């Protein structure tokens, strides 16, 4: 386990590329998703374009190590006539779990949402991801909505 040190949450920066790649690869491995460097480079491009397709926050300790990441994107809510954010990825390095880093990342995106006047922030996780679900149950409401998807050929 990493020594507990204060963590700062901030937007991702260009100098974070190498550390972000390692962390994002670990996230894909956690979910047993085959991911290539080309795929990570595509996501990095989305993070860097203006305006970004997706936004990223990172949790950094005093030694400038990235301990966690959060990716989100804005979506329109036609029935509510508002905007919301969808958190696609939230990951904390295993050695730093249990230190409140995921909650800090969620709180940071919630603050951005309040400033941006979003009406909701949503995300999902695997049913068997019990540790993450215990964290999420402390900061958000579990909804009654079911998730569906259609896989399209690539």
């Amino acid at each position: 386990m990493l020594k507990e040190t204060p963590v700062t949450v901030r937007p991702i920066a260009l100098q974070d590329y190498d550390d972000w790649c390692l962390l994002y690869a670990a996230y894909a491995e956690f979910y047993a998703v085959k991911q290539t460097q080309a795929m990570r480079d595509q996501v990095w491009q989305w993070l860097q374009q203006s305006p970004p397709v997706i936004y990223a926050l990172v949790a950094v300790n005093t030694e400038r190590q990235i301990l966690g990441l959060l990716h989100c994107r804005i979506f329109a809510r036609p029935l509510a006539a508002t905007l919301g954010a969808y958190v696609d990825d939230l990951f904390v390095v295993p050695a730093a779990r249990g230190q409140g880093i995921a909650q800090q990342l969620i709180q940071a995106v919630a603050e951005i949402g309040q400033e941006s006047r979003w009406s909701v922030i949503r995300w999902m996780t695997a049913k068997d991801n019990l540790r993450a679900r215990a964290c999420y149950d402390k900061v958000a409401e579990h909804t009654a909505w079911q998730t569906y998807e259609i896989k399209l050929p690539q």
Side-chain angles (χ1 to χ4, degrees):
M1 182 164 184
L2 289 172
K3 182 179 89 176
E4 286 192 42
T5 61
V7 172
T8 302
V9 174
R10 62 167 172 76
I12 201 161
L14 283 173
Q15 68 266 20
D16 296 328
Y17 174 77
D18 291 334
D19 292 336
W20 172 87
C21 277
L22 292 172
L23 202 61
Y24 203 52
Y27 173 72
E29 184 178 321
F30 176 82
Y31 277 111
V33 172
K34 185 178 185 294
Q35 189 186 67
T36 65
Q37 184 62 49
M39 292 165 75
R40 283 188 293 280
D41 287 343
Q42 176 62 66
V43 174
W44 184 257
Q45 180 186 1
W46 290 336
L47 291 168
Q48 300 306 313
Q49 70 187 56
S50 182
V53 173
I54 56 175
Y55 298 84
L57 298 173
V58 290
V60 182
N61 67 11
T62 54
E63 288 83 37
R64 296 190 181 121
Q65 295 173 289
I66 297 177
L67 303 180
L69 63 80
L70 181 148
H71 296 154
C72 71
R73 57 191 152 94
I74 311 306
F75 69 94
R77 301 186 65 219
L79 279 176
T82 62
L83 297 176
Y86 188 84
V87 174
D88 286 293
D89 308 312
L90 176 57
F91 184 73
V92 174
V93 296
R97 292 183 185 155
Q99 298 179 31
I101 295 170
Q103 289 96 326
Q104 284 183 262
L105 286 160
I106 293 167
Q107 180 60 39
V109 78
E111 289 171 8
I112 292 167
Q114 287 178 324
E115 292 168 11
S116 302
R117 301 183 55 82
W118 301 337
S119 59
V120 70
I121 298 170
R122 291 186 178 142
W123 66 93
M124 63 182 180
T125 194
K127 284 183 182 180
D128 65 351
N129 192 349
L130 300 180
R131 187 167 192 167
R133 290 179 60 192
C135 167
Y136 303 156
D137 287 344
K138 293 175 186 171
V139 298
E141 293 179 32
H142 185 263
T143 72
W145 294 97
Q146 297 294 310
T147 302
Y148 295 88
E149 68 182 17
I150 297 172
K151 294 198 184 288
L152 303 172
Q154 297 293 306

